[in-house]
Amino acid sequence: MENYNIEDFRKIIKTLRSPDGCPWDRVQTHESMRTCLIEECYEVLEAIDNKDDDNLKEELGDVLLQVVMHSRIAEERGAFTFDDVVQGISEKMIRRHPHVFGNENGELAVSGAVDWDKIKQEEKRNTSQADVGPLTAIPKSLPALLRAQKVLKKSDKIYGDGITALESVGNIQRSLEDLKEFILINGENGLENKYDSDNIGAIILEIVNIARELQENAENSLTNMVETFINKRESNKE
């Protein structure tokens, strides 16, 4: 079996993108590969959950393919290269770990005290996100539960407006009473008077806040419960 390294892999992708390469690979864009990247990341998570090292190795390779392909597409339009990506993340890791790599006076290397938020703010000053609010900067493309938890956590940290788990429970109880009344009046489907979807969203947000306050991951909690639901239903069919 021939051994390949990252440079060999970059040449493979370059060949696939060349005029004589693969018709499918040649027409790909950042936008067309967007869904693929998301799916590959979730497949990595599933391999981790299954503690399947062979599958994890394969899925990490698929994620690497996404990184190299996006980098190649960017290089073709003169935006940046894979080397630029490596350079950027290397600089970031060193910059964000002064307690490991030290600084001019070596103080942080000894104390280990790191102000992560200050470092991140310094990084953003010269980027396209310089004028973007801290909550707006949290990507909309994240799964809704994960994004909600990140927004609540950052909002509490920056603005100090956190709601306790007990307060969220109270808010949910009041919202559920309103929902119950709506169903009793309009029926299960509410065909004539559609229920306000914002109210459903508000209830879910309160549940996410409870998860945050209890230091639980809302995304993982729902994923695990969905799996439990599936297993129960399918086991009943046998």
Side-chain angles (χ1 to χ4, degrees):
M1 179 183 295
E2 188 170 351
N3 293 323
Y4 298 98
N5 57 36
I6 188 63
E7 291 305 320
D8 294 324
F9 185 59
R10 291 176 64 184
K11 290 177 182 177
I12 291 171
I13 299 304
K14 182 177 181 180
T15 300
L16 290 173
R17 291 280 299 176
S18 69
D20 296 325
C22 171
W24 185 88
D25 290 287
R26 287 169 51 194
V27 299
Q28 295 310 305
T29 64
H30 294 305
E31 291 74 19
S32 69
M33 294 184 64
R34 184 178 182 277
T35 301
C36 292
L37 177 56
I38 294 173
E39 291 175 351
E40 298 299 354
C41 289
Y42 276 108
E43 288 175 4
V44 167
L45 296 181
E46 186 167 354
I48 292 172
D49 290 340
N50 294 335
K51 295 181 170 54
D52 187 338
D53 287 337
D54 287 338
N55 188 227
L56 177 59
K57 177 179 66 176
E58 178 182 350
E59 298 303 340
L60 287 173
D62 289 340
V63 171
L64 178 61
L65 166 62
Q66 296 294 313
V67 174
V68 176
M69 274 286 285
H70 279 285
S71 298
R72 179 60 199 172
I73 293 170
E75 183 174 357
E76 290 169 357
R77 58 188 179 83
F80 59 83
T81 68
F82 179 76
D83 289 335
D84 294 330
V85 173
V86 173
Q87 180 70 23
I89 191 61
S90 297
E91 291 176 352
K92 179 185 288 186
M93 295 306 292
I94 292 173
R95 185 169 59 246
R96 291 192 177 182
H97 296 82
H99 55 301
V100 176
F101 299 102
N103 58 9
E104 292 182 358
N105 54 31
E107 291 177 358
L108 285 175
V110 176
S111 68
V114 181
D115 188 339
W116 301 107
D117 289 332
K118 183 177 180 180
I119 292 174
K120 291 178 181 180
Q121 288 171 7
E122 289 291 338
E123 291 174 350
K124 287 184 178 180
R125 285 183 182 176
N126 296 319
T127 69
S128 58
Q129 290 190 322
D131 297 325
V132 175
L135 302 184
T136 305
I138 298 174
K140 290 183 180 179
S141 55
L142 285 174
L145 292 179
L146 178 58
R147 182 169 183 251
Q149 197 152 348
K150 284 181 172 289
V151 167
L152 290 171
K153 180 179 179 180
K154 181 157 285 190
S155 179
D156 189 12
K157 185 175 183 180
I158 296 175
Y159 304 113
D161 56 0
I163 301 174
T164 68
L166 197 57
E167 289 173 328
S168 284
V169 169
N171 292 337
I172 291 172
Q173 289 174 332
R174 287 188 289 274
S175 296
L176 289 178
E177 285 299 320
D178 291 340
L179 178 56
K180 181 180 178 180
E181 183 178 353
F182 174 85
I183 293 173
L184 289 173
I185 295 174
N186 297 278
E188 293 288 340
N189 297 323
L191 296 178
E192 294 184 2
N193 299 298
K194 187 172 177 58
Y195 190 71
D196 189 348
S197 62
D198 286 346
N199 293 337
I200 297 292
I203 293 172
I204 296 173
L205 188 62
E206 294 289 357
I207 293 173
V208 172
N209 186 60
I210 292 172
R212 180 185 70 86
E213 283 289 300
L214 298 180
Q215 298 184 11
E216 294 290 339
N217 186 301
E219 189 76 28
N220 291 346
S221 296
L222 182 57
T223 296
N224 293 339
M225 187 50 60
V226 169
E227 287 303 307
T228 299
F229 177 86
I230 292 172
N231 293 334
K232 283 183 178 180
R233 290 298 179 273
E234 294 189 342
S235 62
N236 290 337
K237 290 171 60 178
E238 297 177 358

